[in-house]
Amino acid sequence: MPKPDPKRQPESAWLGALFIWIAGYVDAIGYITLFHVYAANMSGNSVSLAINSAQTDWRLAFAHACPILAFFPGLIAGASIVKACKMARFRTALLPSMIFEAGILILFVRGAHHYGFDDLSKPAVYNSIYVMAIGLLAFAMGVQNGALREISGLKSIHTYVTGTLLSAADECTTFFFWLIRRLTHRPKSRWRRLSRYIHRQPELRVGCYSLLLWCLYVCGGIAGALLLLHLGIASMFVAVIALLITGLFDLFLPLAHYPERSRASSRRRSES
């Protein structure tokens, strides 16, 4: 997994934090309005699909299969939009995909309001309208994940929060053994010297950043659930606004979208 360095890439660190919050926010709203089916977490849907299939509950199995079928083409669409923007050398490769995702979320809000998905007191009805609603939401999350995979500095920002915890544990373990090796001999004097630059260690920074991403995902889910109860399905517009803000940020302060070009130019300068 690529390891974002929040010290060296402050823009990508802030954008990554906002994207992970959006993912938790949208996933919580989708989970509640779509009767406990995940729109962004395909691991949970895959397990539920297997359990319901084993119990021969085909309606629930189908409900959990729908977001998987929509999420995968969303990944392809998001990655394709960013790749096309890179090939065209646009100033921003992120804004078009964010506008596209925001438009899909707006369609979801209009459809959910029109067909009554914002009324949480109604029982689940797994019909074609339900399939369309969950397909739109899962496709939007796929677009976001696919787009971020193509952006330098944001490749590790995704809705697979288990991977975020794994990255945090891996970096913290590496940092722990680094610390033990340096405190093996003369620990007191070494600790005085280490305390001056221990905060600069990349493993510690990346580990803390990964834990922060997990916390932001949870906070996004809490915010989504609370605002859904107070504002209804219109609370999804918070995510729409956040997506447009991130896209505009990338327009005015673009990230390093073309690492291949920069590496090639640096190689030519070194050869000359």
Side-chain angles (χ1 to χ4, degrees), residues 14 32 41 55 62 92 108 147 163 195 219 221 263:
W14 282 106
I32 296 174
N41 192 334
Q55 296 174 346
F62 176 71
T92 171
F108 168 79
S195 61
C219 290
R263 284 198 297 266

Side-chain angles (χ1 to χ4, degrees), residues 246-268:
T246 55
L248 290 174
F249 182 90
D250 187 59
L251 177 64
F252 293 104
L253 294 174
L255 297 173
H257 295 308
Y258 310 108
E260 297 83 1
R261 182 176 61 179
S262 61
R263 284 198 297 266
S265 59
S266 62
R267 191 183 304 115
R268 286 194 296 269

Side-chain angles (χ1 to χ4, degrees), residues 15-17 21 35 50 57 99 122 131 163 168 174 202 212 218 224 262:
L15 283 180
W21 184 91
F35 308 104
D57 190 342
I99 293 176
K122 290 184 178 181
V131 171
T174 303
L212 174 63
V218 174
S262 61

Side-chain angles (χ1 to χ4, degrees), residues 182-183 185-196:
R182 280 153 179 79
L183 293 177
H185 304 290
R186 301 175 62 185
K188 291 185 178 180
S189 60
R190 286 182 177 272
W191 180 256
R192 295 191 191 98
R193 287 188 296 174
L194 286 173
S195 61
R196 299 174 185 173

Side-chain angles (χ1 to χ4, degrees), residues 42 103 130 230:
M42 296 303 111
Y130 176 87
H230 290 86

